[in-house]
Amino acid sequence: MRQIVLDTETTGIDPAEGHRIIEIGCVELMERQTTGRHYHVYINPEREVEAEAIGVHGITNEFLADKPKFADVAAEFFEFIKGTELVIHNAAFDIGFMDAEFARLKPVRKTADHCGVVDSLAIARKKHPGQKNNLDALCKRYGVDNSSRDLHGALLDAEILAEVYLLLTGGQTALSLDAGNDGAGGEGGIRRLAADRKPLNVVRASNEEVSAHDEFMELLAKQAGETVWGKLAQKE
């Protein structure tokens, strides 16, 4: 399954008031593993960025002046996300802005008509009710490094969210045994122990411990009937 973890930055908080997207960041997942592919673009919103928004993401009007307009990147962006499952933290916010941007173009597109949408905030609230579930709080809860996140940024936040989402929904993010490794134990592969290493210390049960175990198993057999341990003992 192909998933796209997505985040946006905007000129303000409400697209109904004419606010626009100024940054899009996407990270691709395939079968719950990052692929290294991403989509990232800054966009000239054709309007002023509010001072409060600049305080959140640090993206200034001067920086955006020579960036492409949404109409210039819309086709490429749509092709990257089309047919995928989008993973977004507080999805209603980003989808609202995306649909407002697509509505200005021909043909008019609605994101949910072409993509599945998963709201990681809704998942976090269900899993951790009554707790803070913003991205910083989830990073702290799941041990995800967000030390480089002084300001919000669409691509950085998408990368962080990808790691948080995998931990939030499945625990382990990836397991790579590097089947193609040449046996040398390279980085990311299987680490092989030296043949001349010190042998492990084997601790065996004492006679008293064995007797206590046998007595317990006899009691268990009387109470519960035949046990797995009893079947194994009969085969020996």
Side-chain angles (χ1 to χ4, degrees):
M1 178 174 62
R2 183 169 182 253
Q3 295 173 295
I4 298 296
V5 184
L6 181 148
D7 187 55
T8 64
E9 300 299 340
T10 63
T11 63
I13 62 172
D14 190 352
E17 295 179 358
H19 285 293
R20 306 285 301 270
I21 293 175
I22 59 173
E23 184 187 9
I24 300 170
C26 301
V27 173
E28 183 184 64
L29 302 178
M30 285 291 290
E31 305 301 334
R32 294 183 55 81
Q33 294 191 40
T34 55
T35 66
R37 289 189 68 205
H38 68 272
Y39 178 85
H40 181 227
V41 65
Y42 290 103
I43 297 168
N44 182 338
E46 303 177 86
R47 59 155 292 158
E48 293 291 303
V49 183
E50 288 190 343
E52 293 84 353
I54 295 174
V56 172
H57 49 60
I59 303 173
T60 65
N61 293 291
E62 293 75 17
F63 176 79
L64 297 171
D66 63 348
K67 301 301 184 287
K69 298 176 176 62
F70 186 85
D72 300 325
V73 303
E76 180 183 42
F77 172 52
F78 179 74
E79 285 302 313
F80 190 81
I81 66 171
K82 183 177 66 174
T84 68
E85 183 175 75
L86 301 179
V87 178
I88 308 172
H89 208 63
N90 191 16
F93 178 87
D94 300 86
I95 296 298
F97 271 94
M98 290 163 60
D99 284 349
E101 294 288 359
F102 283 130
R104 296 182 175 95
L105 307 175
K106 300 294 182 182
V108 174
R109 297 183 174 111
K110 288 187 68 66
T111 306
D113 291 341
H114 303 276
C115 306
V117 179
V118 172
D119 188 346
S120 54
L121 178 58
I123 296 173
R125 284 173 173 169
K126 185 175 181 180
K127 192 170 184 178
H128 306 290
Q131 301 183 53
K132 286 186 177 180
N133 288 297
N134 59 40
L135 193 54
D136 285 332
L138 291 173
C139 285
K140 184 176 181 180
R141 189 171 301 146
Y142 287 97
V144 174
D145 182 11
N146 66 338
S147 57
S148 59
R149 191 177 185 251
D150 295 328
L151 294 169
H152 288 226
L155 183 59
L156 175 61
D157 285 2
E159 290 172 342
I160 292 173
L161 178 58
E163 189 171 352
V164 167
Y165 169 73
L166 292 172
L167 291 167
L168 180 68
T169 57
Q172 187 170 337
T173 58
L175 174 62
S176 175
L177 296 181
D178 199 4
N181 190 273
D182 60 6
E187 184 178 355
I190 299 172
R191 185 171 65 88
R192 305 192 184 280
L193 299 176
D196 59 351
R197 70 188 184 281
K198 184 179 178 180
L200 295 174
N201 184 30
V202 179
V203 179
R204 301 186 183 279
S206 66
N207 292 334
E208 292 78 8
E209 289 170 332
V210 172
S211 296
H213 173 74
D214 291 341
E215 290 176 6
F216 176 77
M217 295 311 299
E218 289 178 6
L219 177 62
L220 185 63
K222 290 178 181 179
Q223 294 178 345
E226 190 175 24
T227 63
V228 174
W229 281 101
K231 292 180 180 179
L232 292 174
Q234 292 173 10
K235 293 180 179 180
E236 293 179 351

